Amino acid sequence: MDKNKKQRSWAEPYKIKMVEPVRISTFEERKKAIEAAGYNTFLLRSRDVYIDLLTDSGTSAMSDRQWAGMMMGDEAYAGSENFYHLERKVRRFYGYKYIVPTHQGRAAEHIISQIMIKKGDYIPGNMYFTTTKLHQELAGGTFVDVVIDEAHDPDNEHPFKANVDLDKLETLIIEKGADRIPYVSIATSVNMAGGQPISMENLKQVRELTQNYGIPIIHDMTRVAENAFFIKQREKGYGDKPVREIVSEICCLTDGATMSAKKDALVNIGGFLALNDKELFKKACNMVVIYEGLHTYGGLAGRDMEAMAIGITESVDEDHIKARVGQVEYLGKKLIDMGIPIVLPIGSHGVFLNASKILSHLSQDKLPAQTLAAELYLDAGIRAMERGVVSAGRNPETGEHNYPALELVRLTIPRRVYTQAHLDVVAESVEAVYENREAITGLEFTYEPEHLRFFQSRFQKIE
Ligand code: PM9
């Protein structure tokens, strides 16, 4: 490339056809709202939020083609045309043989955990995810983190922080025995590490190792296209490969997958379980009728499956994925320039603020990430998500808090929803909170539910 060539700007590969007005609230209104929500951003009403970066889950803007597809919903109880369209897309883009639709990702996690895990089993994975780990535990298993150590260090700039530490994995297999490991759980673009990718090279090594022991790999493919984009950018030999081919190569190295289509696949609701093994598929079909619905709709309307089928194609479009990850990078770079500590490298679906560093005067017991998320809301009505000690929950055996090395606040970017100007407002708000950080006191629990406590817990300020 010509080094003297000026760097040119890029813009999103879409134009806006419909708008949803948002309201800018006053500080007094926000103070009332966050108190009423018990300082938990999950308990805020959406109408009280100006820029909603709680999650990229189900919050994306669907395309005109997806909306048109919604009108083609075949709402038959059994054998809807939209199911067969979805099945064709899963086979074509991901290569899995059998698909069971589910209403969202955790329903697929529930089914796979119940059909594969026995009491006393161990499930190694490249870092935990809240719902995935809970379903493994509810099925009688124990999750074991085998991600590389770099993943737990927010400042480490390893390009593939979701890689598996092969020594950790093999030691576990030898110690516990392959028969007590029903599968290895591999996530692409690991959420809790900050949206970090696994490399193709590492995935191939995991494949080889697990095949030697006869252990299958179940893939959490929620953000597989984002992971593939990072492989294209960072891994030798992949620079000229289309993202859709990289996605397919990843999936081919695994035996089955759980999908929350609310992320990569650009729908507001939906997911699936995909499998290559016919016997497991039969068991999954038997389970889905108990919890979700018939195996050709799994809790979804025909129109939802149609939007998902179309969203799968759009998710691997080169221009789309470049702009999607590019928006996150734009915000991340702005925050780095402002001197704000964030997880490095910048993630695929959001920028993760390092709350331990920003609120370094608060111990983890004072819930720095939960506190920071509440302060961000107070400053400018921006809603973010805690990803620290509150999300990590308690050890089921000891009842003690799990203290994760990463105490983070996630500024998650919904796909195709916000403009660069929104992201400028977000960056300025983070900077304002950062400048006032010394005055911030922590939070303590006033209510804590048993499972996935981050969703519904309530807190009060420590004065
Ligand atoms: N992720 C997120 O905001 C939704 C709420 S937090 C539980 O990041 C992965 C990697 C996810 C995920 C949800 C699920 C569960 C599985 N794996 O929310 O049930 O990021 O569709 O998917 C959220 P569902």
Side-chain angles (χ1 to χ4, degrees):
M1 205 176 80
D2 180 359
K3 280 198 185 119
N4 297 321
K5 216 170 158 192
K6 213 171 139 200
Q7 180 82 30
R8 300 287 295 262
S9 297
W10 59 270
E12 291 76 7
Y14 49 84
K15 55 185 180 175
I16 296 164
K17 183 148 33 187
M18 188 187 278
V19 295
E20 176 184 340
V22 287
R23 198 175 63 92
I24 306 176
S25 51
T26 63
F27 179 80
E28 279 312 312
E29 285 171 332
R30 293 195 291 276
K31 194 163 172 287
K32 258 196 205 156
I34 196 75
E35 274 168 16
Y39 295 90
N40 185 347
T41 52
F42 275 104
L43 302 180
L44 286 166
R45 294 178 71 146
S46 156
R47 68 163 193 210
D48 294 327
V49 174
Y50 174 34
I51 301 178
D52 203 345
L53 306 187
L54 182 71
T55 177
D56 61 331
S57 181
T59 53
S60 297
M62 290 208 293
S63 67
D64 50 2
R65 282 159 187 78
Q66 285 177 294
W67 279 109
M70 296 283 280
M71 297 306 291
M72 302 296 286
D74 170 4
E75 307 305 345
Y77 187 90
S80 158
E81 265 312 295
N82 311 117
F83 165 76
Y84 295 106
H85 185 196
L86 176 62
E87 186 184 55
R88 282 198 303 279
K89 287 291 181 76
V90 170
R91 287 181 175 158
R92 184 161 125 217
F93 286 93
Y94 306 137
Y96 298 116
K97 281 191 199 149
Y98 308 108
I99 169 192
V100 180
T102 57
H103 79 278
Q104 60 184 78
R106 72 198 70 180
E109 291 171 346
H110 173 218
I111 295 172
I112 196 74
S113 302
Q114 292 295 329
I115 63 179
M116 288 189 80
I117 300 172
K118 302 183 302 299
K119 198 169 167 15
D121 280 351
Y122 294 86
I123 305 93
N126 55 346
M127 204 175 254
Y128 86 100
F129 185 70
T130 51
T131 55
T132 323
K133 178 168 170 271
L134 178 65
H135 281 297
Q136 292 164 354
E137 287 169 358
L138 291 173
T142 303
F143 170 81
V144 183
D145 189 359
V146 293
V147 79
I148 55 171
D149 290 341
E150 287 89 335
H152 296 279
D153 173 2
D155 300 323
N156 191 300
E157 296 201 45
H158 192 296
F160 292 105
K161 278 169 118 171
N163 279 358
V164 170
D165 182 326
L166 299 166
D167 285 340
K168 282 188 198 169
L169 177 58
E170 188 154 30
T171 306
L172 182 83
I173 298 172
I174 293 167
E175 236 174 52
K176 306 294 179 193
D179 57 332
R180 290 177 73 194
I181 299 182
Y183 60 89
V184 175
S185 177
I186 295 293
T188 36
S189 191
V190 168
N191 197 350
M192 302 303 279
Q196 304 293 330
I198 180 170
S199 71
M200 194 71 82
E201 185 193 14
N202 183 256
L203 183 58
K204 283 181 184 162
Q205 290 165 337
V206 174
R207 183 60 165 176
E208 206 183 310
L209 175 67
T210 50
Q211 264 179 344
N212 289 342
Y213 289 98
I215 302 172
I217 298 177
I218 298 297
H219 173 200
D220 180 344
M221 61 178 296
T222 296
R223 297 182 181 86
V224 66
E226 293 174 7
N227 195 117
F229 181 70
F230 280 141
I231 289 179
K232 185 182 172 101
Q233 280 191 318
R234 299 177 189 170
E235 195 162 347
K236 210 170 147 234
Y238 286 90
D240 294 327
K241 262 206 165 176
V243 164
R244 57 180 283 181
E245 281 179 27
I246 304 175
V247 164
S248 161
E249 193 178 332
I250 293 172
C251 295
C252 286
L253 290 165
T254 68
D255 301 285
T258 53
M259 174 61 150
S260 169
K262 298 169 74 175
K263 284 82 166 174
D264 247 14
L266 296 155
V267 286
N268 303 125
I269 194 71
F272 58 80
L273 172 63
L275 293 162
N276 288 337
D277 183 283
K278 198 163 186 185
E279 289 311 307
L280 271 181
F281 170 63
K282 278 193 209 156
K283 285 187 188 170
C285 286
N286 207 215
M287 279 282 293
V288 79
V289 288
I290 307 173
Y291 293 101
E292 297 282 292
L294 192 68
H295 60 281
T296 55
Y297 77 87
L300 294 168
R303 55 182 174 270
D304 298 326
M305 291 189 282
E306 189 60 26
M308 202 190 321
I310 298 168
I312 288 172
T313 310
E314 293 180 3
S315 75
V316 294
D317 175 83
E318 298 289 323
D319 290 338
H320 159 73
I321 198 74
K322 187 168 157 221
R324 191 279 179 283
V325 179
Q327 265 204 338
V328 180
E329 191 186 13
Y330 174 82
L331 176 62
K333 282 191 169 156
K334 250 190 129 81
L335 293 172
I336 291 171
D337 289 345
M338 289 168 166
I340 313 287
I342 65 168
V343 173
L344 296 172
I346 298 164
S348 69
H349 62 300
V351 177
F352 290 66
L353 304 174
N354 185 346
S356 310
K357 267 202 184 162
I358 295 173
L359 300 180
S360 56
H361 58 290
L362 299 184
S363 66
Q364 225 169 354
D365 281 324
K366 292 186 178 158
L367 318 176
Q370 190 72 38
T371 306
L372 184 59
E375 290 295 330
L376 270 174
Y377 173 73
L378 267 173
D379 180 74
I382 292 157
R383 170 153 70 171
M385 190 193 287
E386 190 268 5
R387 295 278 77 164
V389 65
V390 178
S391 293
R394 289 179 186 274
N395 180 316
E397 268 154 36
T398 65
E400 295 297 315
H401 290 304
N402 292 316
Y403 289 102
L406 298 175
E407 183 70 24
L408 310 174
V409 169
R410 190 182 69 179
L411 300 168
T412 340
I413 314 295
R415 295 161 189 81
R416 313 190 288 207
V417 171
Y418 291 115
T419 64
Q420 205 157 295
H422 286 109
L423 301 183
D424 291 340
V425 170
V426 171
E428 286 166 25
S429 173
V430 174
E431 191 179 37
V433 172
Y434 185 64
E435 279 167 2
N436 282 322
R437 62 193 180 280
E438 299 297 343
I440 298 172
T441 56
L443 292 172
E444 60 192 5
F445 282 94
T446 56
Y447 166 68
E448 184 186 341
E450 191 185 347
H451 298 302
L452 302 175
R453 63 183 183 174
F454 55 94
F455 282 129
Q456 291 149 338
S457 284
R458 300 182 70 84
F459 307 88
Q460 66 187 13
K461 270 193 167 175
I462 302 172
E463 293 305 337

